[in-house]
Amino acid sequence: MEKKALLISSNRWNSAITEYMISTAHALQSRGWHVHILITQSPAVVNRCTREKLTFTSWGKISLASFRAYSQLIHAQDPCWIWAFGGPESWLLWRTPTKPRRHLTRFFGYEFTPTSFSGLQRHFFSSFHSVVFPCDTLRTACTWAPEERKHTVPLGLSTERFYPACTDSTWQKTPSLLIFGRLDPVKGHATFLVLFAQFLLRLREASLPLPILDIVGKPANTSREELEILAEGLGIAKQVRFHTQQVEDVALLLSRATLGVVCSLGSELICRVAQEFLLCGTPVLLSDAGALPEVLFPQAGGFYPLGKDQDILSILEAQYVVALQESAKPRQDRAGVASQRFSFESMGYQLEQVIGPKAE
């Protein structure tokens, strides 16, 4: 039987959910699957799928009202694996006629609160052969799907795009900490700036090299000016650099940093940026928000408990000192381990384990 998958998402933003859908497509293609994507006519998602050179169909709206068109698409494509990514398209799958060797999967990648309608949830999720989570944190929290149908598959990324691009030991010669991603309160930039000011004082007392803090990302719900004013008020403006334009060579940026910092205050269930740092060979310091600690493996870096400033400073100093002394070899080794865990190929293999013999 030809391996054909249909991925359906009504998400209108180039969000973490969309990121997971895109990675699912690439991961399955790496395993020989023919993948077709059904999305809304959202410019953000359409442009992303176009850039990724994925085969897709876009509709003005995806909902139960689209069932006739959905049935026609299923008949034309005849996929053996159909995915829903958490929106109204889940109800389309719920009504999909059963067929031998056809597998229905619901992706679950966002925060939720325990619902009092567990009976309804159980009935709804019973229609899916499998429910895939990007982390164990979500898998454990979801109690209304049968345990045997729940699967954790971390996000996969391109090892052609994320790799140790820096080979001149910049991380030793001009030490830096790097926060990479959109400027948004939940990402914790302001909180970390306060910690960074205290961290510089500790380094001066210990006569250790002072790093630059690079903050790279486009403004979302926090402006660059807000953070610049904060850095100025803390007296550390000369040690902080901002870059809010598009970065062309992301691998070079990430692999030059002495330490990658993901200081999020919440969310972080798909953990893309932490994985990108590790694929580039850069050790990471992570908050314990969401599922971030799940990304770590031996020699990958460390994490800190939110709200415990003195603990954070001690952990940050220890990680910084180790990272500052690293040669290129440990970074190459770290990237190698990361590629075994977070590449498209690894994700594709893990996804195929979800459906077992149906993947053959």
Side-chain angles (χ1 to χ4, degrees), residues 233-288:
L234 291 167
I236 59 172
K238 292 183 179 179
Q239 293 298 126
V240 183
R241 293 185 300 213
F242 292 89
H243 184 86
T244 54
Q245 303 302 313
Q246 183 73 30
V247 176
E248 296 302 323
D249 193 338
V250 176
L252 186 59
L253 171 73
L254 301 188
S255 60
R256 278 177 168 171
T258 307
L259 193 62
V261 176
V262 183
C263 48
S264 297
L265 305 179
S267 188
E268 295 298 345
L269 297 169
I270 293 180
C271 310
R272 176 178 57 85
V273 174
Q275 294 179 359
E276 290 174 353
F277 274 119
L278 293 172
L279 285 170
C280 291
T282 303
V284 291
L285 179 71
L286 313 173
S287 76
D288 63 356

Side-chain angles (χ1 to χ4, degrees), residues 79-280:
C80 54
W81 198 355
I82 309 176
W83 283 69
F85 283 84
E89 73 275 5
S90 299
W91 292 99
L92 290 177
L93 266 69
W94 194 62
R95 294 184 58 187
T96 301
T98 58
K99 181 180 179 179
R101 295 181 65 82
R102 174 170 288 165
H103 192 96
L104 306 180
T105 293
R106 166 69 146 78
F107 174 68
F108 206 113
Y110 50 85
E111 286 184 292
F112 58 90
T113 54
T115 175
S116 59
F117 299 101
S118 58
L120 176 61
Q121 291 282 2
R122 289 179 189 279
H123 177 62
F124 178 71
F125 276 86
S126 67
S127 296
F128 302 105
H129 299 104
S130 60
V131 183
V132 170
F133 303 87
C135 58
D136 285 331
T137 298
L138 280 178
R139 175 179 174 170
T140 301
C142 179
T143 58
W144 50 78
E147 194 62 33
E148 66 274 10
R149 298 189 185 188
K150 298 195 296 184
H151 304 269
T152 300
V153 180
L155 179 76
L157 295 167
S158 170
T159 53
E160 294 182 0
R161 186 181 180 200
F162 300 105
Y163 61 96
C166 178
T167 57
D168 62 0
S169 301
T170 297
W171 59 88
Q172 292 179 322
K173 300 171 186 174
T174 55
S176 66
L177 308 184
L178 172 60
I179 303 174
F180 182 60
R182 73 179 189 274
L183 307 187
D184 189 291
V186 75
K187 296 301 181 181
H189 297 85
T191 301
F192 193 80
L193 277 171
V194 176
L195 289 167
F196 185 64
Q198 299 174 51
F199 179 56
L200 292 176
L201 292 175
R202 287 175 66 113
L203 294 183
R204 287 189 178 96
E205 292 174 359
S207 299
L208 289 169
L210 302 184
I212 294 291
L213 174 60
D214 284 313
I215 297 178
V216 181
K218 295 182 178 180
N221 298 309
T222 297
S223 69
R224 172 175 175 167
E225 290 71 26
E226 289 176 77
L227 298 176
E228 286 178 330
I229 290 171
L230 176 58
E232 187 72 37
L234 291 167
I236 59 172
K238 292 183 179 179
Q239 293 298 126
V240 183
R241 293 185 300 213
F242 292 89
H243 184 86
T244 54
Q245 303 302 313
Q246 183 73 30
V247 176
E248 296 302 323
D249 193 338
V250 176
L252 186 59
L253 171 73
L254 301 188
S255 60
R256 278 177 168 171
T258 307
L259 193 62
V261 176
V262 183
C263 48
S264 297
L265 305 179
S267 188
E268 295 298 345
L269 297 169
I270 293 180
C271 310
R272 176 178 57 85
V273 174
Q275 294 179 359
E276 290 174 353
F277 274 119
L278 293 172
L279 285 170
C280 291

Side-chain angles (χ1 to χ4, degrees), residues 44-87:
V45 182
V46 168
N47 291 341
R48 180 69 191 282
C49 289
T50 301
R51 290 198 307 272
E52 298 286 342
K53 299 180 180 179
L54 296 170
T55 302
F56 66 91
T57 298
S58 61
W59 290 351
K61 187 176 182 181
I62 299 175
S63 68
L64 265 178
S66 315
F67 188 73
R68 182 175 180 180
Y70 168 71
S71 298
Q72 292 171 344
L73 182 65
I74 293 296
H75 180 74
Q77 295 287 331
D78 192 27
C80 54
W81 198 355
I82 309 176
W83 283 69
F85 283 84

